[in-house]
Amino acid sequence: MTVAKLEALAERRGADVLVEVLRSEGVAYVFGNPGTTELPLIDALTDATDIAYVLALQEASAVAMADGYAQAARRPGFLNLHTAGGLGHGMGNLLNAQISGTPLVVTAGQQDSRHVVTDPLLFGDLVTLAGPTVKWAREVTHADQLPVLLRRAFHDCAAAPSGPVFLSLPMDVMEERTAAPLGEISTIDHRAVAGSLDRLVEHLAAIAPGRLALIAGDEVEASDASAQAVRLADLLAAPVYGSSWPAHIPFPTAHPLWMGNLPTKASGIAEILGRYDAVFALGGKSLITVLYTEGSAVPPGTEVFQLSVDARDLGRTYATHLSTVGDIRASLDALLPLLEARLAPRAEAYARLRMEAVAAYDARRAALAERAQAAFADPVIHPLVAAWEIARAVGSDIAIIDEAPATLGHLRTILHSTWTRQYSSIRGGVLGWGMPASVGFSLGLDRAPVVCIVGDGAAMYSPQALWTAAHEGLPITFVVINNAEYNILKQFMKSQTHYASVRADRFIAMDLTEPRIDFPALAASMGVPSRRIERAGDIAGAIEAGIRSGGPNLVEVVVSAT
């Protein structure tokens, strides 16, 4: 018998089997915060010098770090949480990952199954607890199951529709010895080409030039189809809008056909879509609304066409003229030659629209610059000015992680880049994602520089990420936009003129004052150098210096309430 066969039959602990499967799946990082039930895995990692354990100081941060890594590296993230309490801590960011469709293999240690009948401390029904936020959840009951269930987890989390899966790992299973073979990675091509593309081409070609809009949804990023989306837009000379609540902006913001992201109210979306005879949405979940308004986001008379890998999103809320299921990149590769030939007779009309788009784009940029310049001398930094100066300092080739509501809308409008992977934001809407996600993004981009823009309120949900950034020596510049209040909530209250809060000019639980949070002191406590900025002219220089430092740093920008 060969040495390889003898090694394959050798008994080893469940925890060692898990590590070997992780290695074969190409896992470079395990994100987590360990407790007693996770110690078998920690022990098994001792000699695994090719797999690094990234220590988060709280499980919500661990989940967001794994989420950021998976999005940046375009491969599943692996994390290990601490039984029921740790899984509970991580649920908010696990919900973010679910909504974003991030491929994660989520595990949690479980009490030794031999004494669960005694209701030991730290025991909980992890499968039921995880269930609502994952594609599936299961507890491993024997070490022999580990290879199959782990392979299944890595496959299923990445298969469309992608998202987290969960495995509960009892301590006795992790200590149990097994000779079960590790199995092999399956090669599966998920890039299916959509059907009815000939029909879709005929529909698109029949729409008058200038009367069709495109929506570049997050699925364009997941499918790595930005180049195809650009070619489609150029062929049709069609204005391109981003999702109303995006995880990414997968279309170059410097392209003249880029019109920015859709608003988050149905009435605002309808106002824009009503300008067109039809809209072609690339990917699902592009018309997410936040606050209720009367009426549909798709107005009468506007036809909807969709292409998505997830059949559940097609025609889910709005009736469609034609929707088709398929991978966006593979499907556009097949559709574009057909469409180009079909549009040839109208080439001059489309060329004229493209020229007009260049002039309109330049005019919008000039007006935006004029607005920012007009507000530059304000005694307290205006959020628009802060966003303008941040964008100027960051440039077009450094990744941006954004969880700063006060500047978020401004920044998305200001961005001017050909890099379609520059911008990422909090798709799920649960605060506390941005700072730890930036740790994962930097690791997923081979420790590249990242700028994390976060509001003062959001920063307090997971400031522990500062410690991990310092511990790992990551080149992350954390920019805290500080208006000392929950501004979005206060502005909504002020818009409701019938509210007693408005009449009394008193807004309960919305001011972060008395005491005001000292972000430089907080950063210093975790080993991160920092600087507070109160003048608009100092913003860009401080951020540029932070990026040049090559290490973690924090820049607090004091802005006005709006």
Side-chain angles (χ1 to χ4, degrees):
M1 188 175 289
T2 65
V3 173
K5 288 183 177 179
L6 286 171
E7 289 178 349
L9 293 173
E11 286 194 346
R12 50 214 183 280
R13 292 185 307 165
D16 295 316
V17 170
L18 190 152
V19 170
E20 290 180 40
V21 173
L22 295 187
R23 180 178 289 114
S24 70
E25 291 281 350
V27 172
Y29 300 102
V30 173
F31 298 88
N33 179 272
T36 52
T37 52
E38 291 68 51
L39 295 183
L41 173 58
I42 296 297
D43 183 64
L45 288 170
T46 302
D47 296 324
T49 55
D50 55 334
I51 301 176
Y53 189 94
V54 180
L55 175 59
L57 301 188
Q58 206 261 9
E59 286 89 346
S61 292
V63 175
M65 289 175 191
D67 184 341
Y69 171 81
Q71 291 192 41
R74 286 180 168 165
R75 60 180 305 116
F78 182 87
L79 67 147
N80 186 234
L81 307 177
H82 178 44
T83 192
L87 178 58
H89 285 158
M91 290 297 282
N93 274 327
L94 195 53
L95 182 62
N96 279 332
Q98 179 199 48
I99 295 172
S100 297
T102 306
L104 295 180
V105 177
V106 184
T107 64
Q110 175 63 288
Q111 272 285 14
D112 191 308
S113 59
R114 292 169 295 188
H115 76 146
V116 297
V117 295
T118 65
D119 298 324
L121 189 67
L122 304 177
F123 173 74
D125 186 349
L126 304 187
V127 171
T128 299
L129 182 61
T133 57
V134 296
K135 294 175 69 173
W136 55 256
R138 180 161 179 172
E139 185 161 283
V140 184
T141 59
H142 194 283
D144 289 352
Q145 300 172 352
L146 280 166
V148 172
L149 291 178
L150 284 166
R151 300 284 185 201
R152 185 179 300 168
F154 276 97
H155 169 267
D156 287 358
C157 74
S162 57
V165 300
F166 176 79
L167 286 173
S168 170
L169 305 173
M171 289 186 75
D172 54 314
V173 171
M174 295 292 278
E175 294 286 6
E176 185 180 13
R177 304 192 71 81
T178 178
L182 297 179
E184 298 179 357
I185 298 176
S186 298
T187 300
I188 303 171
D189 185 350
H190 292 286
R191 291 192 180 273
V193 176
S196 298
L197 292 184
D198 53 344
R199 293 175 56 201
L200 181 58
V201 165
E202 291 303 314
H203 285 303
L204 296 178
I207 300 168
R211 301 300 300 167
L212 171 71
L214 300 179
I215 301 178
D218 286 327
E219 205 174 307
V220 174
E221 156 66 16
S223 184
D224 193 19
S226 295
Q228 287 78 3
V230 169
R231 188 178 166 199
L232 178 67
D234 283 337
L235 272 178
L236 294 163
V240 181
Y241 294 89
S243 299
S244 57
W245 194 257
H248 304 282
I249 299 178
F251 196 88
T253 53
H255 195 289
L257 288 169
W258 174 246
M259 300 296 290
N261 290 91
L262 291 166
T264 59
K265 291 182 179 180
S267 57
I269 296 173
E271 181 181 351
I272 292 173
L273 298 189
R275 304 169 190 168
Y276 307 98
D277 295 336
V279 58
F280 181 19
L282 302 175
K285 299 185 177 72
S286 294
L287 305 183
I288 294 174
T289 54
V290 180
L291 296 175
Y292 176 78
T293 56
E294 290 286 343
S296 170
V298 179
T302 301
E303 293 183 335
V304 175
F305 299 89
Q306 289 177 290
L307 170 62
S308 174
V309 74
D310 187 356
R312 302 176 309 171
D313 285 334
L314 302 179
R316 177 178 175 84
T317 304
Y318 309 102
T320 66
H321 197 75
L322 174 61
S323 294
T324 184
V325 182
D327 175 79
I328 290 181
R329 179 174 177 174
S331 300
L332 288 183
D333 280 339
L335 178 141
L336 286 166
L338 303 176
L339 185 62
E340 185 173 16
R342 187 65 178 77
L343 296 180
R346 286 177 165 174
E348 290 186 7
Y350 290 116
R352 184 170 58 253
L353 286 173
R354 286 192 290 270
M355 292 180 61
E356 292 173 359
V358 171
Y361 181 88
D362 290 343
R364 292 196 302 272
R365 296 289 304 178
L368 189 59
E370 186 175 335
R371 284 177 53 210
Q373 187 60 40
F376 202 85
D378 287 1
V380 183
I381 301 169
H382 190 283
L384 170 63
V385 175
W388 184 271
E389 291 298 287
I390 290 169
R392 186 166 72 87
V394 174
S396 61
D397 57 359
I398 293 177
I400 295 171
I401 312 303
D402 193 359
E403 193 184 22
T407 54
L408 181 147
H410 297 305
L411 183 63
R412 290 176 183 170
T413 304
I414 292 165
L415 287 175
H416 182 76
S417 173
T418 59
W419 185 27
T420 57
R421 300 191 66 199
Q422 180 176 31
Y423 181 87
S424 300
S425 191
I426 179 172
R427 179 66 181 268
V430 180
L431 295 182
W433 174 85
M435 295 179 79
S438 67
V439 171
F441 267 89
S442 182
L443 292 171
L445 296 172
D446 295 326
R447 295 179 174 266
V450 168
V451 172
C452 173
I453 308 163
V454 61
D456 53 335
M460 295 310 297
Y461 279 77
S462 48
Q464 305 92 336
L466 292 169
W467 183 91
T468 303
H471 183 69
E472 295 288 338
L474 296 173
I476 303 173
T477 299
F478 297 93
V479 182
V480 178
I481 304 298
N482 191 353
N483 54 21
E485 65 180 18
Y486 291 146
N487 180 261
I488 286 182
L489 301 183
K490 188 178 287 187
Q491 292 307 311
F492 174 77
M493 296 281 277
K494 289 181 178 180
S495 71
Q496 307 301 303
T497 55
H498 62 287
Y499 274 19
S501 300
V502 177
R503 294 194 300 272
D505 193 27
R506 178 170 176 254
F507 303 94
I508 297 171
M510 294 184 193
D511 294 295
L512 304 182
T513 56
E514 300 180 9
R516 190 166 176 137
I517 299 165
D518 189 338
F519 285 100
L522 178 63
S525 74
M526 300 194 199
V528 174
S530 63
R531 182 176 176 183
R532 177 180 285 122
I533 300 299
E534 297 180 338
R535 297 192 309 170
D538 295 335
I539 297 173
I543 295 174
E544 289 166 350
I547 295 169
R548 285 196 305 269
S549 74
N553 63 98
L554 183 144
V555 178
E556 178 190 9
V557 180
V558 179
V559 301
S560 61
T562 56

